[in-house]
Amino acid sequence: MAERMTNADNFWLCMDEPTNLMVITAFMEFKEPVDFKRLQATIDCRLASFPRFQMRVVRPKSGVGMPSWEMDPNYDLRSHVQRIALPSPGDKKDLQEMISNLTMMPFDPNKPLWQVHLIENYGDGCVIFYRIHHAIGDGMALIYVLLSAADSDPDAPWPENVPRTKKRSKNIMPFMPFQAIVKSLNSGLKSSQRFGKQMVKEIEKVISNSDYRKKVVKTTGSFPTDFTKVLSKHTIMSSDPNTPFKGKLGVRKLVAWTDPMELSQIKTVGRAISMTTLNDVLVATVTGAMRRYLKTRHVAVNELDLRVTIPVNIRKPGTEFELGNKFSLIFLPLPVYLEDPVLRLKEVKRRMDHLKKSPDPYINFVLLNSIGYLPPGLAQKAAQLFGNKASGVMTNVPGPRKPLYFAGSKIDNLMFWVPRSGKIGLGISILSYDGKVTVVIASDEKLMTDSDVLLEGFEEEFNYLLELVQTGKIYDEPLVLHDRYKEAQDAAKLEEDGDSDESKEKNDRCRAVTKSGKKCRNKAVPGSGYCKMHSDYAEEDSQIKDVVQLMKELIE
């Protein structure tokens, strides 16, 4: 029986591009060979038994309307579970090359959108590599599904097929009028046509749900006001500049990962510095690694904030195994301009704490659902309007604390990669498992051919921070805001121009970038670094105007 695709799932289906496939990838590493027949039985019993994994996407013959999920009449497990081997010597470099090749392959649209590869001859062991389209489910759901296929007992018996009762898909929430939103957006709705109407419906759905309403009440006293503020912020927000992390992409991608790091060491750093969390430490270390890498590419960093989009799980507890996309995205600006690792960590914590209390995740969830209502072309344009404002995608998922077994073999390590969209070339994924943490990255080869350098910078940043804590230097070393890199550049530029007054005038200009990608020529407000238009975007008088402008851009 056909199942209509949700707006959120359709959003990710529409985002597929040759240069950025919307595919979530992951692998399990083993120090010993895995029995292929037992692997097939495990996948068939525990993964493919979810109906969505036997369904293909069927688009309306008329070309109008939402796609649907339908059972594939020609479904065959052998088309999805395959066995390959690395060439000798079968080392990490060979594995990275093979995974990079596999990530570029689009799915057959006439079959269910997933694949599993058993990659043999990896040292003395092997790797199980998964590719699952984002339309099937978000990263949180898919990680839970994959882990549910594993065993905690090393002597677990072969899996047996157990009939599963098909659960009816649940709508997100009942419909309820929400006049306050309709009133505040009335002027915008007239010009936004169907998209605006659908957006209001999505808002009504979200607000009518008690769980979401309680969370919103905790973070904001007035949802209509904050809704317009968040939209205003997205409208005014300038795009990140082109760097090795973002720009015109190619088709080929590169993957790399660190050696597993001890979770206890990361917690040690977190406890020593203002009680920061494990996540704060990892994000701050990634920020430092990005700073180090950009300096190797001669990119000025001392005034640089780069945003990353971070997925936020908004599922109800106990619904982690429900497939589909039930998450939101938030923008996190990373203080790349800060050299001192302690100062950087404290600033990352401050920004993270602010986002945790903001209504952005719930409002952005509304936007994702609304964009999924649009035709594919408009959906891509709308998503790129937001996605291109960031330089990367970053996610951190806490995995199992104890070792698991898959198809009768112990999982030595777990890793996964997040898809990117638009002009974003960098994806950073962090996963903890069995007392260790692994950082993996995906990059665009056209922009960044030396992704290993970024990971080396991550390890160097963390080791330096750990040394400060362990030696006690963290308490007596001075905090340094910037290094001398930009100062040297400015001095050289002044000598070249021979006109310090002109340089001073340039430094007094607004640091924002206009929608056309050019530097804003307005004079900055003293002490802010931005002109009044770019620093005061959240004023009440401009909120509705910004919302209308945003909607116009999405439908033009």
Side-chain angles (χ1 to χ4, degrees):
M1 184 176 179
E3 175 187 341
R4 183 179 179 274
M5 186 173 287
T6 66
N7 292 348
D9 295 347
N10 185 50
F11 170 84
W12 295 106
L13 183 66
C14 293
M15 287 304 297
D16 254 335
E17 295 183 78
T19 54
N20 262 335
L21 297 176
M22 292 295 103
V23 179
I24 298 172
T25 55
F27 80 63
M28 298 174 177
E29 181 181 345
F30 302 84
K31 289 186 176 180
E32 60 183 21
V34 170
D35 185 280
F36 183 62
K37 290 186 177 180
R38 181 163 182 174
L39 171 63
Q40 286 181 310
T42 303
I43 296 294
D44 188 36
C45 174
R46 298 179 180 174
L47 184 65
S49 60
F50 284 85
R52 185 66 58 85
F53 283 86
Q54 298 185 32
M55 291 179 167
R56 62 180 181 177
V57 176
V58 179
R59 300 182 182 275
K61 294 181 179 180
S62 63
V64 179
M66 199 69 68
S68 60
W69 297 102
E70 294 184 7
M71 295 300 293
D72 180 8
N74 301 312
Y75 171 77
D76 190 329
L77 182 72
R78 293 171 296 180
S79 298
H80 300 274
V81 183
Q82 299 172 354
R83 187 179 191 176
I84 53 180
L86 292 173
S88 295
D91 55 17
K92 184 176 180 179
K93 184 178 179 181
D94 293 326
L95 180 60
Q96 289 177 339
E97 177 78 9
M98 179 169 284
I99 290 180
S100 297
N101 292 336
L102 291 173
T103 57
M104 298 184 296
M105 297 171 54
F107 289 122
D108 183 343
N110 298 310
K111 297 177 181 178
L113 305 177
W114 65 277
Q115 281 183 336
V116 177
H117 288 89
L118 174 61
I119 304 176
E120 299 178 308
N121 196 37
Y122 180 46
D124 295 328
C126 64
V127 161
I128 300 177
F129 181 58
Y130 301 87
R131 299 181 66 233
I132 305 174
H133 199 284
H134 212 316
I136 292 179
D138 55 49
M140 183 63 70
L142 294 177
I143 288 293
Y144 271 92
V145 168
L146 292 181
L147 294 179
S148 71
D151 298 301
S152 58
D153 183 2
D155 298 319
W158 271 56
E160 296 181 2
N161 285 307
V162 178
R164 289 178 180 263
T165 56
K166 294 184 179 180
K167 296 182 179 180
R168 294 179 61 87
S169 60
K170 300 177 181 178
N171 291 327
I172 296 176
M173 46 215 72
F175 187 85
M176 185 182 84
F178 189 49
Q179 288 85 356
I181 288 288
V182 177
K183 183 178 180 180
S184 67
L185 296 179
N186 184 55
S187 59
L189 293 176
K190 292 180 181 179
S191 62
S192 62
Q193 300 176 353
R194 291 189 304 167
F195 173 70
K197 294 177 182 178
Q198 183 65 15
M199 180 178 287
V200 172
K201 290 181 181 179
E202 295 294 341
I203 296 167
E204 291 170 340
K205 290 180 182 179
V206 172
I207 295 304
S208 65
N209 178 270
S210 60
D211 291 328
Y212 286 104
R213 190 165 56 242
K214 289 176 183 177
K215 292 178 181 178
V216 170
V217 168
K218 286 183 179 179
T219 57
T220 175
S222 174
F223 188 86
T225 300
D226 282 293
F227 184 81
T228 54
K229 281 184 178 180
V230 173
L231 285 180
S232 298
K233 181 167 62 176
H234 289 330
T235 306
I236 294 293
M237 185 187 296
S238 60
S239 296
D240 271 2
N242 286 347
T243 66
F245 307 140
K246 175 193 173 187
K248 188 174 181 179
L249 306 179
V251 173
R252 183 165 180 80
K253 310 302 173 186
L254 299 176
V255 298
W257 56 88
T258 63
D259 293 330
M261 305 165 56
E262 293 294 334
L263 192 61
S264 58
Q265 292 184 332
I266 302 172
K267 291 181 178 179
T268 297
V269 174
R271 286 191 294 265
I273 305 177
S274 301
M275 297 305 293
T276 49
T277 66
L278 183 148
N279 193 49
D280 295 334
V281 174
L282 291 171
V283 173
T285 306
V286 167
T287 307
M290 293 171 68
R291 175 186 173 88
R292 284 175 180 253
Y293 180 83
L294 290 175
K295 289 176 64 176
T296 68
R297 299 287 294 271
H298 307 294
V299 176
V301 295
N302 282 330
E303 292 186 1
L304 195 60
D305 259 322
L306 291 181
R307 301 185 196 92
V308 292
T309 55
I310 297 181
V312 178
N313 180 37
I314 57 175
R315 295 171 180 270
K316 297 179 184 178
T319 63
E320 292 84 1
F321 293 96
E322 292 182 6
L323 293 176
N325 288 274
K326 298 179 182 178
F327 76 104
S328 184
L329 294 171
I330 56 173
F331 289 100
L332 173 65
L334 301 179
V336 177
Y337 64 88
L338 289 175
E339 180 199 8
D340 190 281
V342 178
L343 201 60
R344 187 191 309 128
L345 176 53
K346 291 182 177 181
E347 177 61 12
V348 165
K349 173 179 170 55
R350 186 190 69 80
R351 297 183 182 191
M352 294 284 285
D353 289 346
H354 173 73
L355 279 175
K356 291 174 185 176
K357 299 176 183 177
S358 76
D360 291 37
Y362 315 106
I363 294 170
N364 289 342
F365 178 71
V366 173
L367 293 175
L368 290 178
N369 277 272
S370 301
I371 292 173
Y373 172 79
L374 296 170
L378 289 179
Q380 281 191 340
K381 182 180 179 181
Q384 289 172 3
L385 179 67
F386 294 101
N388 287 339
K389 296 179 183 295
S391 295
V393 181
M394 183 188 300
T395 184
N396 182 8
V397 177
R401 298 181 180 180
K402 296 182 179 180
L404 296 177
Y405 301 81
F406 196 90
S409 298
K410 180 183 176 181
I411 303 173
D412 187 59
N413 199 12
L414 288 170
M415 307 180 202
F416 75 104
W417 289 266
V418 290
R420 285 79 58 205
S421 63
K423 297 167 64 178
I424 295 177
L426 179 65
I428 304 170
S429 305
I430 305 170
L431 180 66
S432 61
Y433 168 68
D434 191 21
K436 294 180 175 61
V437 174
T438 303
V439 179
V440 304
I441 65 170
S443 61
D444 185 85
E445 187 181 58
K446 187 175 181 180
L447 296 177
M448 188 176 171
T449 60
D450 51 353
S451 54
D452 285 338
V453 175
L454 179 62
L455 288 182
E456 290 171 2
F458 177 89
E459 293 173 338
E460 291 169 359
E461 279 289 326
F462 179 76
N463 290 335
Y464 177 62
L465 196 55
L466 182 63
E467 181 186 2
L468 288 179
V469 172
Q470 292 177 337
T471 60
K473 292 181 180 179
I474 189 173
Y475 303 108
D476 51 35
E477 289 289 319
L479 299 180
V480 181
L481 182 63
H482 296 310
D483 58 15
R484 300 296 180 183
Y485 178 78
K486 187 174 186 302
E487 293 177 12
Q489 272 202 333
D490 290 344
K493 187 71 168 59
L494 284 174
E495 287 184 9
E496 183 179 332
D497 294 344
D499 190 350
S500 60
D501 292 336
E502 182 181 349
S503 298
K504 185 176 184 301
E505 181 182 348
K506 289 181 180 179
N507 290 334
D508 288 339
R509 289 178 183 170
C510 176
R511 297 203 303 261
V513 178
T514 65
K515 293 178 182 178
S516 63
K518 297 181 180 179
K519 188 84 172 178
C520 178
R521 301 185 63 85
N522 295 333
K523 188 174 182 179
V525 175
S528 73
Y530 296 94
C531 67
K532 182 172 178 56
M533 182 184 72
H534 287 105
S535 62
D536 207 18
Y537 60 82
E539 287 188 357
E540 191 74 25
D541 292 341
S542 67
Q543 291 171 2
I544 301 301
K545 180 180 178 181
D546 294 334
V547 174
V548 175
Q549 181 61 33
L550 173 66
M551 292 181 174
K552 285 182 178 179
E553 290 185 18
L554 293 179
I555 65 172
E556 284 178 355

